[in-house]
Amino acid sequence: MCSAPESPEAAETARRAQFGKLPERIPLEETVEERAATAPDSAKETYNAEDWLVRYCP
């Protein structure tokens, strides 16, 4: 571990050097990732509404 500084002024200087500045804020837009829940299905895009007539109505 680190050795303790000898005087209170030295301790304050060491503390300010380590913790003197707060971290920069991260915008909310950078913390959220948006992705599609499922992969795109190319078969879904080729659906024909009248296709069932050919298959089920002789």
Side-chain angles (χ1 to χ4, degrees), residues 16-28:
R16 287 191 184 269
Q18 185 173 5
F19 304 109
K21 184 179 175 188
L22 292 174
E24 305 233 352
R25 289 188 174 252
I26 300 173
L28 181 62

Side-chain angles (χ1 to χ4, degrees), residues 22-44:
L22 292 174
E24 305 233 352
R25 289 188 174 252
I26 300 173
L28 181 62
E29 294 80 24
E30 292 183 15
T31 63
V32 177
E33 178 182 353
E34 294 182 6
R35 290 190 271 169
T38 59
D41 186 10
S42 60
K44 186 185 228 182

